Amino acid sequence: MTNVARHDPVKARRADFWKGGPDKRARTFLTQVFKAVRRKGKAMTQSTVVNTSDMAVQHSSRASKTTNRKMSVTVESLAHKYPVPNACRIGNLIVSGAIHGVDPATHTMPKDLSAQCAHVFANMKTIVEAAGGSTKDIIKMTVYLRDRENREPLNAEWVRMFPDPETRPARHSQPLLVEGPSLVQCDFMAVIGEPD
């Protein structure tokens, strides 16, 4: 360890991470995820519009073995007002942007937390499926709550979507620090597995 790392705990921790220190398990996990993405990732060369439950889902990709392997995923009924996709897929790894509790049919935000939670989980399912995965492929979910003490509606939807405690994804809650009517938001990370 260098003198700088000794006096800077962030640099010391970063050095430990890559040298096999206390974060060896995390580094091993990330290495396995990235290897799986590279190994199982298939080049996507299509540009299609698919209708799922009256929601037009747009896949746009220029990926091929010789060009970009990245694919933006935009669900038209959940599209951001700025030119930002709902998620991005590279190989078999999917990472979403913020998912809101908006009703995709009416484009309105319900006032109560229960309805927003129901929409957040339904919207997450729509987005992961639009990217070619399923809720079984979700490995991490970050939830942003305005009131972190009121988790009952969140937990009800969580158990409904992920009923088996042995296969639930990791979940982390953060305070929601945005203005407006949103009481809950989430984002997720998924690794698409082999077909059953």
Side-chain angles (χ1 to χ4, degrees), residues 71-136:
M71 177 180 87
S72 293
V73 180
T74 299
V75 178
E76 288 182 12
S77 60
L78 300 171
H80 201 284
K81 65 181 178 182
Y82 300 109
V84 178
N86 298 110
C88 186
R89 176 176 172 174
I90 185 166
N92 63 342
L93 178 67
I94 304 167
V95 179
S96 80
I99 300 171
H100 305 272
V102 69
D103 181 341
T106 64
H107 300 284
T108 59
M109 183 76 71
K111 294 187 190 269
D112 65 296
L113 181 61
S114 295
Q116 285 191 27
C117 283
H119 287 303
V120 162
F121 278 83
N123 295 344
M124 179 173 66
K125 181 178 187 292
T126 300
I127 292 167
V128 75
E129 288 174 353
S134 76
T135 56
K136 292 179 180 180

Side-chain angles (χ1 to χ4, degrees), residues 168-191:
R168 287 182 184 142
R171 185 179 97 183
H172 183 67
S173 295
Q174 297 273 354
L176 179 62
L177 304 173
V178 297
E179 294 180 19
S182 188
L183 302 174
V184 62
Q185 294 178 7
C186 81
D187 57 44
F188 71 86
M189 183 182 233
V191 177

Side-chain angles (χ1 to χ4, degrees), residues 25-97:
R25 280 180 277 164
R27 188 180 75 248
T28 301
F29 170 76
L30 288 173
T31 302
Q32 290 171 349
V33 168
F34 292 130
K35 282 182 181 177
V37 168
R38 274 186 254 131
R39 184 175 58 247
K40 295 181 183 177
K42 295 179 182 167
M44 306 191 93
T45 58
Q46 57 186 351
S47 178
T48 60
V49 173
V50 179
N51 280 329
T52 6
S53 311
D54 300 326
M55 292 184 216
V57 180
Q58 180 181 0
H59 291 266
S60 60
S61 173
R62 293 185 196 137
S64 72
K65 292 185 183 203
T66 58
T67 61
N68 191 2
R69 300 180 302 133
K70 195 173 3 175
M71 177 180 87
S72 293
V73 180
T74 299
V75 178
E76 288 182 12
S77 60
L78 300 171
H80 201 284
K81 65 181 178 182
Y82 300 109
V84 178
N86 298 110
C88 186
R89 176 176 172 174
I90 185 166
N92 63 342
L93 178 67
I94 304 167
V95 179
S96 80

